[in-house]
Amino acid sequence: MTTFGFLIKSMFRRKLLVTLSMLSLTTAFLLFILLRSVAVLFSGDFASVSDVHMQTASKYAIILLLPHRYGEEIAAVEGVRAITFASWFGGVFKEGDDSAMTFAVDPSTYFEVHENYQISSEHLDAFLELRTAAVAPEAIMERYDLEVGQKVPVTSSIFPNINGEPWTFDLVGTYSSENEVEADYLPFLFHYEYLKEATGVSDVGWYTFTIEDPEKASEIAHIIDSKFENTADATKTMTESEAMKNWMSQIGDIGLMMNGIIGAVFFTMLLLTANTMIHSYRQRIPDLAVLKTLGFSNNKVAGFMLFESLLFCTTSAAVGIGIATLALNGIGPFLPTGFVLAVTGPTLIWGTSIALGLGLVIGLVPAISANRLVIVNALHTK
């Protein structure tokens, strides 16, 4: 029998106890991955956004509009390279569904500022030429089974159509992002001028612009906000990554709540798993004494106990993480557009570190006890 086979057989000496303990620990890692994916989503860390991009919105709420003239004043600030604007439309593509990310934009400047977005020249030209034109990312195309060339009816509680009918857009193309994670959060885009003509609204939701030097982001933000500080439409300017985190934080400190639950779960699992390993050690004291009698050194016997603990925890973690990944992939299509739960690299690193740390902690006491075990005394243990 190989050493690994010996350890597996020893670990499952009491099959029911060990199996139930592993199931409990697997459930803990399953919850860890699911809860961490929610925390990552609401922290705004799910997609890497360049700090070259900045955003100016209302100081009080993103749903409050800003005067159109602000764009010219922001563009005149030294260090600002290119600027565009957008307004939140809150489009609903089918009855009973949640609103999807739908923006009214200026096509002539939007893709100039968002240079990481990729759109073919053919689709961009069509978007520029037709007033009712719209473009959509692949995520929305797949979610609502859309095709280029079709007319797309969309309703909005923010900007209801004056005739009571759904808005109708001509889907002329698709676009994507160089960032694969960001690609899942791209909005449905249509002409701002179409919205303006139909509703008479001439203000915009927010301005997005690029700057020449990211290190001057704070300085530029201060200059812009100072311009409008004493007006009825005060602004808040920040990098686009900060804006995303700020928007997510308005829902609540989800990350803190999720981490609190995770901490409680793993503290309980630590006590449960430690009890299992210590109980297993006590039952095997005579067996360990026999191993020492056969010539196994104190350190080697202690190593068996420590490795068994690590194997117990890492196996449970691997199964739990695997099930969580499959579950997240399965529920993805049922989430609102723009909400993507995924297993990120840092989450995997944390999960692996916790599994190894837990294995070391709960295996340390049995390992030290096995190392100090006296053969004569151990053989008398029942």
Side-chain angles (χ1 to χ4, degrees):
M1 179 183 293
T2 63
T3 301
F4 185 77
F6 169 74
L7 291 174
I8 292 293
K9 192 172 183 64
S10 298
M11 187 170 69
F12 283 95
R13 179 174 178 176
R14 296 199 65 181
K15 296 181 177 62
L16 181 60
L17 176 63
V18 173
T19 300
L20 291 176
S21 298
M22 289 188 73
L23 285 175
S24 299
L25 195 55
T26 296
T27 303
F29 279 99
L30 170 64
L31 290 173
F32 168 76
I33 296 297
L34 295 179
L35 295 177
R36 275 303 303 164
S37 65
V38 174
V40 169
L41 171 65
F42 284 94
S43 70
D45 292 330
F46 49 84
S48 177
V49 181
S50 172
D51 284 342
V52 172
H53 291 82
M54 299 193 70
Q55 185 181 106
T56 297
S58 171
K59 182 179 180 179
Y60 308 108
I62 196 170
I63 61 173
L64 298 179
L65 302 180
L66 298 176
H68 201 283
R69 62 179 174 81
Y70 277 16
E72 296 179 359
E73 297 187 48
I74 295 172
V77 173
E78 184 178 355
V80 175
R81 186 156 48 92
I83 187 169
T84 189
F85 59 84
S87 290
W88 184 278
F89 185 71
V92 176
F93 288 81
K94 62 181 181 181
E95 188 176 353
D97 199 6
D98 296 320
S99 62
M101 291 178 65
T102 311
F103 298 169
V105 302
D106 175 24
S108 63
T109 58
Y110 193 80
F111 289 98
E112 179 183 351
V113 172
H114 295 279
E115 67 275 0
N116 56 312
Y117 293 171
Q118 300 171 328
I119 184 171
S120 69
S121 56
E122 179 185 357
H123 288 176
L124 181 57
D125 289 342
F127 192 21
L128 290 167
E129 291 173 4
L130 187 61
R131 183 176 61 91
T132 58
V135 294
E138 288 298 328
I140 289 181
M141 296 283 286
E142 293 177 5
R143 182 181 183 90
Y144 298 106
D145 196 23
L146 303 178
E147 294 181 1
V148 174
Q150 77 175 90
K151 291 185 178 296
V152 182
V154 181
T155 59
S156 171
S157 58
I158 301 174
F159 296 103
N161 205 338
I162 56 175
N163 60 12
E165 296 293 325
W167 294 80
T168 301
F169 302 107
D170 293 286
L171 187 57
V172 298
T174 64
Y175 74 103
S176 60
S177 173
E178 296 175 354
N179 185 327
E180 292 183 3
V181 176
E182 185 185 25
D184 292 322
Y185 298 86
L186 298 179
F188 182 90
L189 306 175
F190 69 94
H191 262 283
Y192 169 79
E193 288 299 322
Y194 182 29
L195 178 66
K196 180 179 177 181
E197 291 173 13
T199 63
V201 175
S202 59
D203 295 338
V204 301
W206 63 89
Y207 292 92
T208 302
F209 54 92
T210 55
I211 57 177
E212 296 174 356
D213 186 359
E215 294 184 1
K216 295 184 178 180
S218 297
E219 179 183 342
I220 292 174
H222 177 71
I223 293 172
I224 292 173
D225 292 338
S226 297
K227 284 179 174 287
F228 314 117
E229 186 174 7
N230 297 318
T231 68
D233 300 297
T235 62
K236 177 66 175 178
T237 302
M238 60 189 79
T239 62
E240 204 167 36
S241 58
E242 290 174 339
M244 179 63 73
K245 293 178 182 180
N246 184 64
W247 179 72
M248 287 295 189
S249 68
Q250 293 179 18
I251 302 174
D253 197 343
I254 303 297
L256 179 61
M257 291 187 285
M258 295 299 103
N259 290 333
I261 296 172
I262 291 170
V265 169
F266 274 109
F267 178 74
T268 304
M269 287 301 102
L270 174 62
L271 297 179
L272 174 64
T273 310
N275 179 68
T276 301
M277 292 303 299
I278 292 174
H279 186 69
S280 175
Y281 163 75
R282 287 175 177 172
Q283 286 191 322
R284 292 160 55 191
I285 288 178
D287 297 342
L288 297 176
V290 170
L291 289 177
K292 289 191 175 186
T293 303
L294 293 174
F296 287 89
S297 67
N298 290 335
N299 290 336
K300 194 162 188 178
V301 172
F304 285 163
M305 298 303 301
L306 190 59
F307 185 80
E308 183 179 316
S309 174
L310 287 170
L311 182 63
F312 179 90
C313 292
T314 54
T315 301
S316 301
V319 175
I321 292 172
I323 295 174
T325 302
L326 293 175
L328 291 176
N329 291 335
I331 65 176
F334 302 99
L335 296 174
T337 304
F339 285 77
V340 178
L341 300 178
V343 182
T344 62
T347 298
L348 286 176
I349 293 174
W350 269 106
T352 303
S353 301
I354 290 173
L356 293 173
L358 195 61
L360 289 173
V361 169
I362 66 177
L364 195 59
V365 172
I368 293 175
S369 299
N371 182 274
R372 296 175 177 177
L373 192 65
V374 178
I375 298 175
V376 175
N377 295 334
L379 288 175
H380 285 83
T381 301
K382 294 184 180 179

